[in-house]
Amino acid sequence: MRLLAILLTALSLTLVSVAAVPPALAQQAVATAPDYSEWERVATRAEEAVESAEASDAALASLRTQVADWRAQFQTLLSANDPRLTTLRDQLAALGPPPVEGEGEGEEAPEIAQRRAELNEQLTRLTTPRRTAEEAFSRANGIISEIDSILRARQADKLLNRGPAPINPALWGGALSDLGHSLRAVWSGTSQAWATPARRAEAQNNLPLVLILVVIAIILLARSRTWSEQVAVRIARSDAEARSDVAGFVVSLGQIVFPLMGIYALIRALGATQLYGPRGELMLDVLPAIGICIYFARWIGSRMFPAAHEVYSPLGLTDARRTEGRLYSMLLGGVLAANLVVMNLSDFDRFTAEANNVLSFPLIVLASVLTFRMGQLLRHHDASLRGSSLTEENAYRNRLVVLLGQAAKVVAMATPLLAAAGYVTAAEALIYPAILSLALFATVALLQEAVNDAYVYFSKSPGGAIGLLPTLIGFVLLLASVPLFTLIWGARVTDLTELWARARAGVSIGDTTLSPGSLVTLIVVFMVGLFLTRALQGTLKTSLLPKTKIDPGGQIAMVSGVGYVGIFLAALVAITSAGIDLSSLAIVAGALSVGIGFGLQNIVSNFVSGIILLIERPISEGDWIEVGGQHGYVRDISVRSTRIETFDRTDVIIPNADLVSGTVTNFTRGNTVGRLILPVGVAYGTDTMRVDGILREIANAHPMVLANPAPNVLFMGFGADALDFEIRAILRDVNWVLSVRNDMNHAIAARFKEENIEIPFAQRDIWLRNPEVLNGGTPAPKPAKVATEAKPKGQPDDPATDADVATDPDTPDTPDRA
């Protein structure tokens, strides 16, 4: 509480002091120009170093950092006072062009001339610092480019420089002697520190703390991995598969975090003793990096090549090959740690080139062998094995795994040859980045899998389906790993910062500058506008419009119209917020309009037709329509097309232009009332008035038939086989027309049977001109009349009779006669 009170008091005093500063002084402090004399001194020194090209890499890097800081200051001045400059130019434009002498335009009014002079003076005063900053910014850019060129050239020379061959036995003794001297110096530094009374007394005073930290370090280093594995196994055996995957990944991170905490405790314990020399301090500084190499490699191995009790594995490998993968991962981490120790000792004790090459060669060979074996494991990946997370459906990732394995084998075979020939620097620049790249690929893959598992668990996705969000997150992770890959393969941090600075400056298109910041602003503002539009649509659809008297089709049209207008306004505001001048894109828009007129005319026509449908609303969602021979219900009206669900439960997509320009029958427009026409035929000789009465009773008895207007029965005429009647009834819901037709047909059949009213059927007589053909050649005295079997009305004739007549080639055409 006392500390909080002190902080609040200090904050209040700061606010009072800031408030007490006059506005003019504050503005003057903000607008203070850089010290160009100091910049001139730094720039001159950097140009001299670049011209001589004799400064060390560290000196050049330091100069580059200073110049980059100055360039950042100049860059801020380039856009300073932009609003004020725009206002001054608009004021001058409002005054009009000054009169030209000798053209007879007359003199300008004194007040206008005086005002013009004042505005020009202000414009000059504001643009002068900006022009100075532009010149300094260009100079800084040139110096930075020259320094980068020198550093890149030196880096290339180091890679191509051939040093002593490490396979020369004459060099081994000196290299081992240098390494032994460095290791003995570490111990001798400890002995010398113990011999110092002050340090020895300090170590004795800190002994309890040292013992506690050592015990903590031993426990964390010895047991943390075992505890993490036990917890992970228990979670893996739980019922919730997605939950166990997520929790198992989180728990597995303890295999990295807790050992590193143990290493930190060990460093603190050794630091509290003060019993070490310069080289011992160097080892303490390197110890965290050594721990990261070892334990991170073990974690990757345990996740990429899980033990036999694990159900799923990122790679399709057998249990024996998984065991090999864990072993190779751990050994590769040890090789990287040993290389760190050798590099730091070499830099500290300034080993000779011969000693460096000899000491690095065994590590390069061991790393190459392990990388080759790891490449073979990746080549053996089989997606068809049970438990593989990469199934056969992930064809791209499976090919990527195989290609990584092949590349690792090629690098592993080439690296020892380069090192044996003396190109040790090139070999180190090839094998160690390859190992780190494999580790980074594995890390990205594990993070993507963890994101997928978390999405499945929290979204309760059915069947474990992966949605769009985890896919986008995985893509972002892959993009974020690109700078790390460039750093692994030799790019400098300054190179990345330079690329970022150029990207921030943006690309100029006319008077418009596109930069990552403007693109992010564009996306964020548009997403906010889209969210507000969807929220407004939801409010209208669920809360406001249902309480009005607008029909459902009109409500849907209003909601859709609000969505289109909202998206257009969101895009317009986003473009304006991003600083994109739409007037500068007028020429581009004109050229695009020509292409749209020729190449996208159908799409534009459908778009305009969709707007017409939403405004005029000749059809609405839920209407029963017929268009192009297709019957169905309108399910969705979009900008380009309309989706119709037919009675067969199939979707038909119809372009909106066909609905506007073609003929459309809407059976339920405005209401669902419709007419049913049911034809009925009775045999000749039946009492027509009796039939009329029966049909009227049946029509009036059906509940779907309206009483007003009443159903009607019409005697349509004398047909070829029957007396034709029609029932014409108005239904309260035309969507039930087939059911009503079915019910009336059943009722008519039952009543006609009770009343002994015959429903006729068609009868055909066939005359054969040569009946002897059917009698085996015996002539018949006269043509025979063969009557066909009685068949219901509309049933086709017996195909056997037609076939028998048609198979004889001598039989002439036999006409049918009714």
Side-chain angles (χ1 to χ4, degrees), residues 667-754:
F667 294 94
T668 57
R669 174 62 179 165
N671 56 66
T672 59
V673 175
R675 187 173 71 168
L676 166 68
I677 299 178
L678 180 63
V680 180
V682 297
Y684 277 93
T686 307
D687 187 355
T688 56
M689 296 305 297
R690 182 181 170 202
V691 173
D692 185 280
I694 294 173
L695 295 180
R696 289 181 186 273
E697 292 178 5
I698 294 173
N700 287 321
H702 201 282
M704 290 297 296
V705 176
L706 294 178
N708 185 21
N712 195 13
V713 177
L714 300 177
F715 182 17
M716 300 302 296
F718 303 91
D721 303 306
L723 300 176
D724 296 330
F725 288 82
E726 278 188 2
I727 299 177
R728 298 191 177 187
I730 303 300
L731 306 182
R732 66 179 74 254
D733 192 347
V734 73
N735 293 299
W736 297 90
V737 62
L738 294 180
S739 298
V740 175
R741 182 186 296 272
N742 177 69
D743 296 342
M744 287 189 177
N745 282 331
H746 283 294
I748 290 170
R751 286 293 303 276
F752 280 9
K753 184 177 181 180
E754 293 175 1

Side-chain angles (χ1 to χ4, degrees), residues 34 39 64-80 133 136-138 140-141 144 497-498 501 504:
W39 156 245
R64 188 194 185 284
T65 302
Q66 297 179 32
V67 175
D69 293 339
W70 282 101
R71 184 181 63 175
Q73 297 183 35
F74 300 145
Q75 189 173 8
T76 57
L77 292 177
L78 294 180
S79 57
F137 181 81
S138 301
N141 256 340
I144 290 176
T497 56
E498 186 67 19
R504 289 182 57 189

Side-chain angles (χ1 to χ4, degrees), residues 741-781:
R741 182 186 296 272
N742 177 69
D743 296 342
M744 287 189 177
N745 282 331
H746 283 294
I748 290 170
R751 286 293 303 276
F752 280 9
K753 184 177 181 180
E754 293 175 1
E755 302 292 338
N756 294 323
I757 296 176
E758 180 183 0
I759 298 177
F761 55 88
Q763 182 175 349
R764 299 290 183 267
D765 294 336
I766 300 176
W767 291 85
L768 302 180
R769 293 183 179 179
N770 300 317
E772 65 275 4
V773 177
L774 301 178
N775 296 330
T778 304

Side-chain angles (χ1 to χ4, degrees), residues 551 553 617-626 631-635 637 643-645 665-672 735:
D551 60 280
R617 295 191 292 115
I619 60 174
S620 302
E621 292 187 14
D623 287 352
W624 172 16
I625 67 172
E626 177 190 4
H631 281 262
Y633 293 104
V634 178
R635 296 305 184 194
I637 302 176
R643 180 170 63 88
I644 297 176
E645 182 182 1
T665 303
N666 194 333
F667 294 94
T668 57
R669 174 62 179 165
N671 56 66
T672 59
N735 293 299

Side-chain angles (χ1 to χ4, degrees), residues 485-551:
F485 278 111
T486 57
L487 292 175
I488 286 173
W489 286 97
R492 295 176 292 114
V493 178
T494 54
D495 295 334
L496 298 181
T497 56
E498 186 67 19
L499 289 176
W500 177 245
R502 293 181 181 179
R504 289 182 57 189
V507 179
S508 297
I509 303 176
D511 295 334
T512 302
T513 301
L514 297 179
S515 63
S518 61
L519 293 179
V520 171
T521 303
L522 176 69
I523 295 173
V524 170
V525 173
F526 179 76
M527 294 302 295
V528 171
L530 183 61
F531 173 76
L532 295 177
T533 300
R534 297 307 184 200
L536 179 59
Q537 283 183 295
T539 303
L540 291 175
K541 187 176 182 180
T542 59
S543 301
L544 183 60
L545 292 179
K547 299 178 181 179
T548 64
K549 297 182 180 180
I550 304 175
D551 60 280

Side-chain angles (χ1 to χ4, degrees), residues 190-211:
T190 303
S191 301
Q192 292 175 4
W194 178 258
T196 304
R199 289 195 174 186
R200 186 169 61 251
E202 185 176 359
Q204 292 174 353
N205 293 332
N206 295 332
L207 184 60
L209 176 62
V210 171
L211 292 177

